[in-house]
Amino acid sequence: MKKTFIFIIGIVIVVIIGLFFVLSIDKNAVSGQEVIMYKSPSCGCCVSHAGYLRGEGFEVNTIADDVMAQTVKNQNNIPLNMRSCHTSFISGYFVEGHVPMEAIDKLLQERPDIDGITLPNMPAGSPGMPGVKSGEWIIYAIKNGQASEF
């Protein structure tokens, strides 16, 4: 009976250590990774999304310049109907708008052959936006100016 109890305690400890290890790997994959965000100088929701990304472990550097922000969108062939208020660059991809962390994680883990992802417009309740989520958000992948569901 005593050996069974010790065995069970040992298994529980191994599982806890394993979970800690897995969770720390996930966090370390993002921790300190640089994000460059191009935004309008007057946009408060962009500042909120930058805070959201910082809370997820990214190091976010913002460039507040309206002309440069539009130039970046044009240079990266982001279709007009797929644009949002800010464009970020993470690990060689652009991330347009208030994209949630789940989609960013998927992008960084799978590393698909695309230019970037976008959550068009500025949906209420998305990370950095006020309000309540009122429907499903569709994240799009962009490759050479062409959009498809991500």
Side-chain angles (χ1 to χ4, degrees):
M1 181 78 155
K2 189 175 180 180
K3 287 182 181 180
T4 303
F5 178 74
I6 291 172
F7 178 74
I8 291 171
I9 294 298
I11 289 175
V12 169
I13 290 171
V14 168
V15 168
I16 290 171
I17 290 171
L19 283 173
F20 178 76
F21 181 74
V22 167
L23 293 174
S24 68
I25 287 175
D26 264 351
K27 191 66 171 174
N28 289 336
V30 169
S31 185
Q33 192 168 359
E34 185 179 36
V35 173
I36 304 294
M37 178 184 286
Y38 293 86
K39 65 179 232 40
S40 166
S42 61
C43 186
C45 65
C46 299
V47 172
S48 295
H49 196 258
Y52 168 76
L53 293 174
R54 284 186 187 100
E56 294 293 334
F58 289 101
E59 180 184 313
V60 182
N61 296 303
T62 59
I63 299 171
D65 183 319
D66 282 329
V67 173
M68 187 176 285
Q70 290 307 312
T71 300
V72 163
K73 292 175 194 309
N74 292 335
Q75 288 173 339
N76 286 278
N77 295 318
I78 302 172
L80 291 174
N81 65 334
M82 293 285 132
R83 293 183 181 188
S84 188
C85 56
H86 61 271
T87 306
S88 299
F89 290 90
I90 305 170
S91 191
Y93 292 101
F94 69 76
V95 176
E96 178 75 5
H98 296 266
V99 176
M101 196 60 210
E102 296 81 11
I104 296 171
D105 277 339
K106 179 181 175 183
L107 176 72
L108 297 178
Q109 289 174 8
E110 294 179 6
R111 309 242 359 121
D113 183 23
I114 60 174
D115 300 322
I117 57 176
T118 179
L119 176 57
N121 306 310
M122 298 161 61
S126 60
M129 286 297 295
V132 178
K133 184 177 179 180
S134 62
E136 185 178 345
W137 299 324
I138 300 174
I139 310 297
Y140 293 91
I142 307 294
K143 173 74 175 174
N144 297 325
Q146 300 299 312
S148 61
E149 258 190 67
F150 180 57

